[in-house]
Amino acid sequence: MTSAAPPDPLDVVAPRYGGGSLADVVPSALAVLGVPGAVDLLGLTPRLAGVRRIAVLLVDGLGWYQIPTAAPYAPTLAGLAATVGRPLTSGFPSTTPTSLVSFGAGVAPGPHGVLGFTVRVPGTDRVLNHIEWAGDPEPLTWQPVRTQWERARAAGVAVTVVSRPEFAGSGLTLAANRGGDYRGATGVDALAATMLAALAAGPGPTLVSGYHPDLDRHGHLTGVDSAPWRIAAAEVDALLARLVNGLPADAALLVTADHGQLDVPAAHRFDLDTDSRLRAGVRVVAGEPRVRYLHVEPGAVDDVVAAWSAVLGPAARVETRAEAVAAGRFGPVPEEHLQRVGDVVVTCHGTYAVLASRSEPPAVSRLVAYHGADTAAELTIPLLVVRG
């Protein structure tokens, strides 16, 4: 009997919440460290028996389907993927703020409520950009789930979060990383040195999280497999090599990502700000180019669904909020978070995107690569497990 062929990069895949998703990584690591109540949903314990220190590195934009493209410039990464790697999924939408909070909180997007790159603040016409979130709404209220770092610290685990200095204290950092001792590090050398120092600092159980954003940034700006992206892939490889070579004997390194990426050609770009058919009945637009949340005028849901379906055709899935929630795309969504999702949810297929050239910053329309949707290339991420 032969195993099923892997999905094509443009096939639609479903998040594997509860046993194969990004949200399961840190709870599984805590179970290895003996934190009471933590469940090893990924089955790490047999491989990591005796491990007392775990470092978890999240590489922004390193999808499972990008690893073969990176392989010529990242031999360490390619070797680890082939020998100690397996695919997981991110959540939906496959976008950085949603994924970083699922990673830190250890739950699917629905419960934590950071349900997109941008979302409408319920009861207003304000669109909240989670990357530029300075503290309004209040992060501990907007994201109510206790983080895995808080759970670990309460159980006596030394917890350190290493990321860029400029991210300290932001709304997104508080939503995703509260409970960890935050340390700023810029560049591969500083990130590796700070993570390894924190990993070796104490005698007891230790958890260190690291975040590297540059591969994603260069993919957005110049495209997957562009010259800058290749340089960024080589830097990721150097980071992995330093971490692997520096692991203490009782330590392990887990490597994962928040999402993958897809280049979107000019011919596959719709613009909702220049097409009156896409603006009719729509009050507020949120989300991002690959997943749009449409908040519509009273009574306009059916008309908006029909219009967007007619214009986009096979380029997108157009569904109501109720349909998207019932399909389990976000995991369970509590009542207080439902209005953060659009009345209509538009998810692009293939390599299509829906831009908003006048109502979003011009830089968004000029990007080469995007993510957010549920194709295999965007939603499928790696998990690499390395023992010291």
Side-chain angles (χ1 to χ4, degrees), residues 81-296:
T83 56
V84 295
R86 60 163 160 153
L88 302 177
T89 70
S90 70
F92 177 85
S94 56
T95 195
T96 297
T98 303
S99 289
L100 291 186
V101 181
S102 286
F103 175 67
V107 296
H112 66 62
V114 179
L115 292 170
F117 193 89
T118 68
V119 299
R120 190 191 72 162
V121 178
T124 76
D125 285 348
R126 176 189 170 197
V127 175
L128 172 65
N129 184 324
H130 283 115
I131 296 295
E132 299 174 355
W133 179 17
D136 176 25
E138 206 283 323
L140 274 66
T141 302
W142 187 256
Q143 195 294 89
V145 177
R146 187 185 189 195
T147 72
Q148 296 299 302
W149 322 120
E150 291 175 304
R151 292 179 183 275
R153 175 153 297 195
V157 177
V159 182
T160 303
V161 174
V162 187
S163 187
R164 294 290 171 89
E166 60 267 30
F167 300 154
S170 72
L172 181 57
T173 293
L174 293 173
N177 294 317
R178 59 183 183 257
D181 177 16
Y182 194 95
R183 300 185 187 177
T186 300
V188 165
D189 290 341
L191 179 57
T194 306
M195 289 181 66
L196 290 172
L199 199 62
T206 302
L207 179 65
V208 179
S209 171
Y211 172 71
H212 184 64
D214 290 350
L215 190 72
D216 176 72
R217 180 167 63 89
H218 288 294
H220 280 308
L221 293 174
T222 58
V224 176
D225 205 25
S226 63
W229 188 90
R230 293 174 180 179
I231 293 170
E235 291 175 348
V236 169
D237 206 61
L239 172 61
L240 292 181
R242 283 200 58 182
L243 292 173
V244 170
N245 292 333
L247 283 179
D250 62 347
L253 171 67
L254 310 180
V255 182
T256 190
D258 52 349
H259 55 72
Q261 282 186 325
L262 281 172
D263 289 354
V264 175
H268 286 187
R269 297 173 181 230
F270 298 89
D271 189 345
L272 64 89
D273 282 340
T274 61
D275 190 329
S276 60
R277 297 171 297 174
L278 299 181
R279 269 296 178 182
V282 176
R283 182 180 180 91
V284 176
V285 177
E288 58 190 296
R290 293 279 291 167
V291 177
R292 286 293 177 191
Y293 291 157
L294 310 178
H295 298 270
V296 308

Side-chain angles (χ1 to χ4, degrees), residues 16-36:
R16 297 198 297 271
Y17 302 128
S21 80
L22 177 62
D24 305 320
V25 172
V26 181
S28 296
L30 296 189
V32 171
L33 295 177
V35 171

